[in-house]
Amino acid sequence: MSEAAQLGARESGPRADEARARGRAPSAICVDEEAHVWRARLLLVLFFLACVLPGFFTLPVIDRDEARFAQATRQMVESGDFITPRLGDEPRYKKPIGIYWLQAAAVEMTGMGAQAPIWAYRIPSLLAACLAVLLTHAVGLRLFGARAAFWGAILLAACIVLGGESRLAKTDATLLACAVAGQFVLARLYLARGERLALSWPLLFWGAMGASILIKGPIAPMLAAFTAIGVSLWDRDWRWLKGLRPLVGVPLMLAIVLPWLIAIAAHSGADFFHEAIGKDLLGKVAAGQESHGAPPGAHLAAFLVIFWPGAALAVSAIPWVWANRAEPAVRFCLAWIVPFWIVFELTATKLPHYTLPAYPAIALLAGAALASGRLDRPSWWMRTLVVMAAVGGIVSGLALAGAFYWFESRVPAEAVVLAILAAAIGAIVIWQAVRASMASAYRVLLAQAIVLYTLGFGVVAPRLDLLWTSPRLAAAIAADVACPDPQVMVAGFSEASLLFDIGTGTQTGGGAQAADFLAGPGCRVAVVDERQRPGFDARLAELGHAARTLDTVKGLNLGNGRLLTLDLLVAPDGAGTKGP
């Protein structure tokens, strides 16, 4: 008997029979089950927050995607137009409306309205990511049992990519929650084949599909379809899919999606569909957009980094997964991962978070392998992987402190303490990996993850001034310009963070345009990058004008990685400026 089957066989008897009568998988049984599950959920939430809250409130808006989504939401709240998102003067048709509605609701609930700080716009991502972790735990309970479910969920909560998406006001964390909700229903139906389940299950599935379409189009339905088709072909059995009750569920999904689609079609005609489907969705399949092209295999290479610290355990689980591939729970997870992953490896445009909806299944397989006892005495290569993960954490901690010193010529005391602590914990992980079990080493490795995220997101990143060009420009304008609401134009830097930090009315363009702008009436500030300065000076001379430099801000364009040297310029008479 395979190890996955043995796990299920251990949980038999009256409790298992009762569980089957309720439609519960026997592997979800544990002593004092309900209390255990709630304790596990509480611990997962606390661990997730410990990983994610550092930097959540203090990181400025991040270019490019977060700034675009947040600014479009801000303009939606300012204008009262909740049908057509706009970025500046242009409609933003690349994504559906769902995330804008959620962010608008979040900022309104804070009571600060459109001018709420960026963390308010991030609230939907934070809550959705936490929900995804809890749903992963729920899926794992049904597929593999309590211990495997907990390990799978905590590996997902700890991974770099989910932590990053939880801190960003964009679509992917919310999409993940919808996708895992759909997979939860599919897993429930798959394990309960032959039983007629309550209507709430298919309604949850189709509701999640409808919500996911409003968030990011067809990604979650595609994942669900691949999973259902994969296990059905493997089993040569399609009958279990009747439990989805499409005659009831599809109308629910359409009722969620169609009202906005009809409204946006009335507002924009075919423009939304041309931009969102023709250019954004299909365009990414055919060619790498915004310099994000990469060859097949790039997602696999990225996984080894962005699923840290769980990647070493996931790779170590491969022999167990292969040995138990005939088990329904393992088979379901493989159907969840493989087809979806292949599609995105073949897609020309690649960003690391594209394969995130497959990560819960990977985490659960890793957790199931650990719970099986197969990894209690790991092979030398498995131990080596964990040692490498710990060394990676040590190097990252030292590198973060070193980077701060490189750019700022100083290191905060808390950064030094956290870097040393990360190194000390990493040394313990190495000792455990060499001398003890995989589970023992990973318990300590998870503590190292919390320390590193606190160091990187909570201490180093928010204080690296070079990264935050737009808020520093906004602070310089506020400090140097006397009038309360100056007109601003920026030449050589056009990221959406300018609109979010300086104001929706901020204009962008080239150097010559900035000169024309500065020559106009009223209180005006031209911000000109050194690359645009020759064109600015030449055009200003043609106009017979001159400019006075108030300040110079040096920074990094996070959108393209270019260093910037930006001069704040006003008319030479100093009108509207503070000081001499």
Side-chain angles (χ1 to χ4, degrees), residues 81 83-86 90-95 260-276:
D81 179 1
I83 300 299
T84 305
R86 294 182 176 276
E90 298 295 324
R92 179 166 168 78
Y93 290 143
K94 287 193 172 185
K95 295 293 184 289
W260 178 74
L261 287 179
I262 293 170
I264 193 65
H267 275 235
S268 70
D271 289 349
F272 167 77
F273 302 98
H274 175 70
E275 183 73 23

Side-chain angles (χ1 to χ4, degrees), residues 490-503:
V490 183
F493 179 48
S494 58
E495 299 297 339
S497 59
L498 287 171
L499 304 181
F500 192 87
D501 287 317
I502 299 177

Side-chain angles (χ1 to χ4, degrees), residues 338-386:
V338 176
F340 185 81
W341 197 284
I342 290 173
V343 166
F344 281 96
E345 288 286 13
L346 297 177
T347 299
T349 302
K350 290 182 174 67
L351 285 171
H353 60 262
Y354 283 180
T355 51
L356 179 58
Y359 281 28
I362 297 173
L364 287 173
L365 288 176
L370 192 65
S372 71
R374 175 71 177 269
L375 303 183
D376 287 349
R377 293 178 180 151
S379 303
W380 66 268
W381 63 269
M382 298 177 184
R383 296 182 187 274
T384 301
L385 289 174
V386 180

Side-chain angles (χ1 to χ4, degrees), residues 467-488:
L467 302 179
W468 314 118
T469 304
S470 293
R472 289 168 59 221
L473 281 176
I477 292 170
D480 296 330
V481 180
C483 58
D485 189 21
Q487 300 177 64
V488 181

Side-chain angles (χ1 to χ4, degrees), residues 182-196:
Q183 298 298 98
F184 178 39
V185 176
L186 287 181
R188 176 73 178 87
L189 294 174
Y190 183 63
L191 293 177
R193 283 175 292 185
E195 298 180 29
R196 185 172 179 83

Side-chain angles (χ1 to χ4, degrees), residues 218-580:
I219 304 301
M222 181 178 73
L223 174 68
F226 283 157
T227 306
I229 293 170
V231 292
S232 297
L233 287 174
W234 202 334
D235 293 347
R236 296 183 178 84
D237 181 9
W238 301 82
R239 291 170 296 177
W240 67 280
L241 292 174
K242 294 179 181 179
L244 288 176
R245 302 192 200 181
L247 294 180
V248 176
V250 171
L252 172 63
M253 181 180 70
L254 295 177
I256 294 171
V257 174
L258 284 181
W260 178 74
L261 287 179
I262 293 170
I264 193 65
H267 275 235
S268 70
D271 289 349
F272 167 77
F273 302 98
H274 175 70
E275 183 73 23
I277 299 175
K279 288 187 178 181
D280 189 56
L281 181 61
L282 299 180
K284 288 178 179 176
V285 174
Q289 292 187 353
E290 295 187 356
S291 302
H292 296 314
H299 282 300
L300 184 60
F303 167 81
L304 298 175
V305 176
I306 64 177
F307 195 62
W308 186 90
L313 184 57
V315 175
S316 300
I318 291 174
W320 181 88
V321 172
W322 179 255
N324 291 277
R325 63 191 181 279
E327 296 300 326
V330 176
R331 186 179 304 178
F332 182 86
C333 287
L334 290 174
W336 181 341
I337 299 163
V338 176
F340 185 81
W341 197 284
I342 290 173
V343 166
F344 281 96
E345 288 286 13
L346 297 177
T347 299
T349 302
K350 290 182 174 67
L351 285 171
H353 60 262
Y354 283 180
T355 51
L356 179 58
Y359 281 28
I362 297 173
L364 287 173
L365 288 176
L370 192 65
S372 71
R374 175 71 177 269
L375 303 183
D376 287 349
R377 293 178 180 151
S379 303
W380 66 268
W381 63 269
M382 298 177 184
R383 296 182 187 274
T384 301
L385 289 174
V386 180
V387 169
M388 291 173 63
V391 170
I394 294 171
V395 172
S396 297
L398 297 175
L400 285 166
F404 196 97
Y405 181 80
W406 177 268
F407 290 111
E408 301 292 332
S409 300
R410 62 184 182 88
V411 184
E414 55 265 48
V416 174
V417 170
L418 289 170
I420 293 172
L421 182 59
I425 294 174
I428 298 172
V429 175
I430 293 171
W431 174 262
Q432 294 280 6
V434 172
R435 302 298 297 270
S437 68
M438 188 79 82
S440 298
Y442 254 89
R443 290 188 188 99
V444 185
L445 191 58
L446 293 171
Q448 188 188 39
I450 294 176
V451 173
L452 283 175
Y453 297 152
T454 303
L455 171 62
F457 293 110
V459 176
V460 173
R463 303 186 194 182
L464 274 179
D465 288 343
L466 182 73
L467 302 179
W468 314 118
T469 304
S470 293
R472 289 168 59 221
L473 281 176
I477 292 170
D480 296 330
V481 180
C483 58
D485 189 21
Q487 300 177 64
V488 181
M489 184 171 190
V490 183
F493 179 48
S494 58
E495 299 297 339
S497 59
L498 287 171
L499 304 181
F500 192 87
D501 287 317
I502 299 177
T504 300
T506 305
Q507 301 178 48
T508 59
Q513 292 172 290
D516 290 333
F517 168 84
L518 191 61
C523 180
R524 292 171 179 255
V525 181
V527 180
V528 183
D529 181 48
E530 62 181 359
R531 296 179 182 87
Q532 296 291 327
R533 191 62 190 265
F536 173 83
D537 291 338
R539 178 57 180 162
L540 207 61
E542 290 178 11
L543 296 172
H545 287 262
R548 175 188 173 197
T549 302
L550 295 179
D551 200 351
T552 299
V553 173
K554 294 186 177 182
L556 180 71
N557 185 340
L558 291 174
N560 58 25
R562 291 180 180 173
L563 291 172
L564 302 166
T565 300
L566 299 160
D567 293 327
L568 275 68
L569 301 154
V570 294
D573 59 5
T577 63
K578 298 178 182 178

